[in-house]
Amino acid sequence: MTTTNKKIVLTGGGTAGHVTPNIALVGDLKEAGFDIKYIGSSKGMEKELVMEAGLDYEGISSGKLRRYFSFKNFTDPFRVLRGYFQAKKIIKKYRPNIVFSKGGFVTVPVVYAASKYNIPVIIHESDMTPGLANRLAIKRATKVCHTFPETAAHLGSKAEFTGSPIRKELFTGDPEVAKKLCGFTGDKPIIMVTGGSLGASNVNKLVREALPTLLETFDVAHLCGTGKLDESLTNLEGYKQFEYIKDEMKDFFAMADLIISRAGANSIFEIAALCKPNVLIPLSANASRGDQILNAKSFKKQGFSEVLDEDTATYEDLIKTVNDVYSNKAKYIDAMSQSSVAGGVDNIINLIKKLATD
């Protein structure tokens, strides 16, 4: 192991998607000799994930910048300002060589504080277009890593195409572990349905409507989200539902012959890195800023995925698309295997080492 006595601050929070890519870098950072501190929000969900990873965690005050009216819009700027002074204090004391930010509103004061002390900042943007927090932070960044080729147009000279950092543990799954948990024999190909850690009600509805036909050909493992189990389907042969899977997620990926998923950037890059044929049902623009729709379009264009519109798709559309993708699975597997989506960790670590030395 190289001992360089270099220090890095990782930051990101608000959702698991802003935390797990940071954690994916930890093993390689330690191997490269970095001491690691994580700055997140004092009350955020990221604290538990980071502590489980064995990292030194410091919480700061955080607020949200909203595009809609809320009385919190009058108080949150003060929380952000407080977070900035807290981040300055932490960074001044810790004296990191570099900061790596994965996004979320807690990262804005951290990035600005690092910039105040002329510390290099790398931001990673997973989606096709930067979210509001990253758009604010990019002004103070040294480099901005991105995962979609199209994103470079939004980033100018700071753009650095790296791909997404994929957790190496995902490549070590045992399909037999997941089959045992589901009670599947392996006689049929297996579909895994996932809507993220919170589940996806519209995806759940489509899948459950399609079950009578899908189960003629496939077994279905359904990660439906907390509080979204359908008790009437508990004993349905060939169908197993879970609110949430954590430690065995790698085994479920290994078991799946086809995946039905939302189109959050981290999730779909994991799917592509594992070369799993997939059907994406992005979150509607009525319920988001439309980033998942753009992500899904890019994956379809690159030949990785087929895409359904959740506002218009019927269960018949889902059945047809699943059958078409599975029948032509070799085409999708070949496109994903020839891409560079699995190299994100190495690319980012090399950039961190370079900027921390310059």
Side-chain angles (χ1 to χ4, degrees):
M1 178 183 293
T2 305
T3 55
T4 63
N5 296 319
K6 291 192 179 294
K7 299 177 181 179
I8 186 169
V9 163
L10 302 179
T11 183
T15 68
H18 289 141
V19 183
T20 52
N22 271 325
I23 293 174
L25 299 174
V26 167
D28 289 76
L29 285 172
K30 288 182 177 179
E31 198 170 306
F34 280 89
D35 181 59
I36 305 168
K37 183 182 289 292
Y38 200 105
I39 301 178
S41 56
S42 54
K43 298 179 180 178
M45 54 75 64
E46 60 267 21
K47 183 174 183 177
E48 182 179 350
L49 293 173
V50 173
M51 298 291 280
E52 285 179 2
L55 299 182
D56 179 24
Y57 186 90
E58 298 238 23
I60 63 171
S61 175
S62 177
K64 184 176 181 180
L65 304 172
R66 300 169 183 83
R67 298 179 179 85
Y68 54 87
F69 177 79
S70 168
F71 285 109
K72 290 185 178 179
N73 288 341
F74 298 102
T75 58
D76 277 13
F78 295 100
R79 294 191 179 97
V80 174
L81 186 61
R82 184 172 179 230
Y84 169 71
F85 286 111
Q86 290 171 328
K88 273 186 66 179
K89 184 177 180 181
I90 294 167
I91 286 173
K92 184 178 181 181
K93 181 179 179 181
Y94 184 60
R95 302 178 63 84
N97 299 90
I98 194 162
V99 169
F100 181 83
S101 169
K102 190 59 198 72
F105 289 105
V106 70
T107 67
V108 177
V110 179
V111 169
Y112 273 65
S115 173
K116 178 70 174 177
Y117 291 112
N118 297 315
I119 294 166
V121 174
I122 299 173
I123 290 174
H124 188 276
E125 177 54 60
S126 293
D127 289 315
M128 177 89 74
T129 59
L132 179 56
N134 267 356
R135 289 209 306 274
L136 291 170
I138 281 169
K139 300 172 185 178
R140 302 301 176 95
T142 310
K143 286 289 185 180
V144 184
C145 303
H146 60 100
T147 56
F148 292 94
E150 300 94 329
T151 308
H154 301 275
L155 303 177
S157 61
K158 294 181 180 181
E160 189 83 22
F161 181 72
T162 60
S164 185
I166 307 297
R167 294 171 289 167
K168 291 184 178 179
E169 69 183 65
L170 289 182
F171 298 91
T172 66
D174 182 348
E176 298 307 316
V177 171
K179 287 177 188 175
K180 186 175 181 180
L181 277 173
C182 294
F184 296 160
T185 63
D187 294 336
K188 292 180 179 179
I190 298 170
I191 296 172
M192 181 175 80
V193 183
T194 175
S197 57
L198 299 178
S201 296
N202 289 344
V203 174
N204 292 348
K205 182 174 181 289
L206 268 183
V207 168
R208 285 166 176 158
E209 288 175 348
L211 277 178
T213 302
L214 289 177
L215 292 177
E216 293 174 5
T217 307
F218 302 93
D219 286 333
V220 178
H222 190 172
L223 313 184
C224 59
T226 303
K228 296 182 173 68
L229 296 174
D230 185 334
E231 300 297 340
S232 70
L233 301 173
T234 299
N235 297 315
L236 184 60
E237 186 177 351
Y239 175 72
K240 184 68 174 179
Q241 53 187 334
F242 302 85
E243 287 189 317
Y244 181 65
I245 290 291
K246 186 180 177 185
D247 294 338
E248 298 88 0
M249 193 64 184
K250 63 184 183 299
D251 306 314
F252 276 69
F253 270 122
M255 173 182 72
D257 296 291
L258 183 145
I259 295 174
I260 298 171
S261 175
R262 281 298 199 198
N266 293 319
S267 296
I268 63 176
F269 274 99
E270 289 176 350
I271 291 168
L274 294 164
C275 297
K276 296 292 180 176
N278 62 89
V279 177
L280 302 180
I281 309 176
L283 188 63
S284 165
N286 295 323
S288 72
R289 66 183 181 90
D291 49 303
Q292 289 199 13
I293 295 172
L294 295 175
N295 296 348
K297 283 182 178 178
S298 178
F299 264 43
K300 180 177 172 63
K301 180 180 177 182
Q302 294 178 73
F304 301 165
S305 313
E306 290 300 329
V307 180
L308 290 175
D309 182 340
E310 78 166 349
D311 290 334
T312 60
T314 64
Y315 74 90
E316 291 98 338
D317 295 328
L318 179 62
I319 292 166
K320 181 181 185 304
T321 306
V322 164
N323 286 329
D324 287 348
V325 169
Y326 187 71
S327 297
N328 297 285
K329 58 184 180 293
K331 177 181 73 172
Y332 299 96
I333 292 170
D334 185 57
M336 289 182 280
S337 65
Q338 291 188 37
S339 74
S340 58
V341 293
V345 169
D346 290 340
N347 294 335
I348 292 168
I349 293 294
N350 287 337
L351 183 61
I352 287 172
K353 288 193 290 189
K354 178 178 183 298
L355 291 182
T357 303
D358 287 350

